[in-house]
Amino acid sequence: SDLQKQEERGELLQPLIFVLLVLCSVLLYFKVSLMDPGFVKPEEEDKEGENKGQGVVTPQIPGDVKLWRCGYCLVKQPMRAKHCQLCQHCVRRYDHHCPWLENCVGERNHPLFIVYLSVQLVVLLWGGHVAWSGLYFEQSWEWLQHNIFLLVSFLLIFIFTIVVLLLLVSHLYLISCNTTTWEFMSHHRISYLRHSELENPFDQGIILNLWRFFC
């Protein structure tokens, strides 16, 4: 049959890989959105050395910088944590609250968030290629009627691809500097950065920053 011939020629492999990538991106979306991003729990606030297992290096805190209790959830905030008004929790190594995920991006789910963006970018690029390959251009109303769906699909995929690409590149840049979106945007308002002698006391070089983040 035609299906068997296509299978023998390997023509069914690419659609199968594409479907698996889409499924993987959906699973990653739910994983990142439903998992604990690193909420600070009251029973864990006095534990020492917890960050060692996460590969996070804590710099020397200047003498005039004091860690305080959160005014909302009353837990002692570790360094780089921030209270999220939407999640109603303090989040370790807080990066940002993602409205698309309805969850914070923090210490525990940030690496998976990067993986999710990477897989999503591949899916969008592949989908954009498929949509573009199905277009043939003619200057006629009849052509527009027959191809309007493919044209709109390609434009939407192009816009989403640009957004995801910019997100991924910006996050990889911040990770390579060992900083977070919150620290980058609010450097002047964060006490342990404002009073630090170094502009970024967490930076240990690109290679070590990436290694500690992903490994």
Side-chain angles (χ1 to χ4, degrees):
S1 64
D2 292 340
L3 189 61
Q4 289 178 334
K5 291 180 180 178
Q6 289 179 342
E7 184 179 0
E8 291 174 357
R9 293 195 298 266
E11 295 178 359
L12 298 180
L13 184 60
Q14 288 189 358
L16 178 61
I17 294 175
F18 181 77
V19 171
L20 289 176
L21 281 174
V22 172
L23 179 61
C24 181
S25 69
V26 172
L27 293 176
L28 281 170
Y29 171 84
F30 283 109
K31 176 66 174 177
V32 176
S33 63
L34 296 176
M35 72 181 296
D36 178 356
F39 294 136
V40 180
K41 300 175 182 179
E43 63 270 17
E44 296 177 350
E45 66 180 22
D46 292 327
K47 289 184 179 179
E48 296 181 358
E50 184 178 354
N51 284 337
K52 293 180 180 179
Q54 301 293 336
V56 178
V57 176
T58 304
Q60 187 67 32
I61 307 174
D64 53 351
V65 176
K66 296 181 180 180
L67 302 181
W68 57 79
R69 287 191 178 274
C70 175
Y72 297 97
C73 53
L74 302 179
V75 296
K76 185 184 293 183
Q77 282 188 338
M79 187 174 289
R80 311 192 79 177
K82 182 183 182 296
H83 183 86
C84 176
Q85 297 278 13
L86 297 174
C87 292
Q88 294 298 311
H89 284 285
C90 286
V91 181
R92 295 180 183 275
R93 201 180 183 278
Y94 175 87
D95 189 87
H96 71 285
H97 183 92
C98 181
W100 303 105
L101 297 172
E102 281 296 328
N103 193 15
C104 283
V105 176
E107 184 179 78
R108 295 190 62 189
N109 64 350
H110 200 171
L112 274 181
F113 177 73
I114 299 300
V115 175
Y116 165 69
L117 287 180
S118 302
V119 174
Q120 193 64 52
L121 181 61
V122 173
V123 170
L124 287 169
L125 289 173
W126 198 332
H129 172 72
V130 172
W132 179 261
S133 64
L135 285 172
Y136 62 94
F137 295 96
E138 293 180 6
Q139 294 182 353
S140 67
W141 176 250
E142 184 179 357
W143 173 87
L144 185 61
Q145 286 181 317
H146 285 87
N147 293 274
I148 186 65
F149 178 74
L150 271 178
L151 190 60
V152 171
S153 298
F154 177 77
L155 291 176
L156 288 175
I157 290 173
F158 177 77
I159 293 172
F160 289 140
T161 300
I162 296 299
V163 172
V164 173
L165 180 62
L166 291 176
L167 273 174
L168 182 60
V169 170
S170 63
H171 274 276
L172 288 176
Y173 168 75
L174 293 176
I175 291 167
S176 67
C177 299
N178 198 358
T179 189
T180 64
T181 302
W182 173 57
E183 291 171 340
F184 181 78
M185 300 294 294
S186 306
H187 187 280
H188 61 287
R189 295 194 291 114
I190 302 175
S191 59
Y192 60 81
L193 294 179
R194 188 173 67 247
H195 295 94
S196 175
E197 296 179 359
L198 301 174
E199 183 178 356
N200 180 11
F202 303 100
D203 188 9
Q204 294 190 309
I206 296 178
I207 296 178
L208 191 55
N209 290 338
L210 292 173
W211 174 264
R212 290 186 178 280
F213 181 85
F214 287 106
C215 305

